[in-house]
Amino acid sequence: MQQTIITVKVCSDLINDNGRYSIDFEDFERKAADEKTTLFILCNPHNPTGRVWTKEELRRLGDICVKNDLWIISDEIHCDLLRMDKKHIRNRNSFF
C-alpha cells in the first residue's frame, strides 16, 4: 500500500511597526496548536529583516513549541552578521 504525505506550509507573519519587526505570538501560538503543525523553522537573526531575537522572545517561542510538541529547525547561518551593539543568542541556549 502506497502512503501519500501531504505537506502544507503555514506562516506566521511578523508585525512591522515602522520598520521594527516583532513576532505575533498570538498568531504563532494559534497556528502551533493546530494538530497538523509539526515543525517550526526559526531564522535568528531573521532574514531578511536582520532582527536579532531576544532571549525572552526565543524562550517564549520555545515554550510554545514544547507545549505543542513541535520539532524546531534553527537556522543561525547569519549569526556573525549583526547590527552594531547587538549580540547573537544561540537558540538552543534559550529554549530550555
Side-chain angles (χ1 to χ4, degrees):
M1 175 181 256
Q2 185 177 359
Q3 182 179 6
T4 302
I5 298 174
I6 299 173
T7 303
V8 177
K9 180 175 124 181
V10 177
C11 294
S12 182
D13 294 330
L14 299 177
I15 298 169
N16 182 350
D17 185 16
N18 293 320
R20 184 176 194 289
Y21 290 85
S22 61
I23 299 166
D24 185 343
F25 284 102
E26 185 178 299
D27 179 63
F28 180 74
E29 189 153 19
R30 185 175 59 255
K31 290 174 178 172
D34 185 320
E35 66 182 28
K36 294 180 292 236
T37 303
T38 59
L39 173 71
F40 170 52
I41 301 174
L42 173 66
C43 189
N44 182 34
H46 185 269
N47 183 12
T49 69
R51 175 72 160 62
V52 179
W53 306 119
T54 66
K55 186 167 186 147
E56 293 76 23
E57 289 168 320
L58 293 171
R59 178 158 315 270
R60 191 166 174 192
L61 288 169
D63 288 346
I64 293 168
C65 289
V66 168
K67 175 182 173 184
N68 292 285
D69 199 27
L70 301 183
W71 285 84
I72 301 170
I73 295 176
S74 180
D75 177 356
E76 300 180 63
I77 192 71
H78 301 295
C79 69
D80 57 343
L81 302 173
L82 300 177
R83 295 179 178 175
M84 298 198 44
D85 300 322
K86 297 293 178 188
K87 181 181 177 195
H88 176 261
I89 299 169
R90 293 184 59 137
N91 299 339
R92 69 180 173 90
N93 294 338
S94 299
F95 288 153
F96 309 103

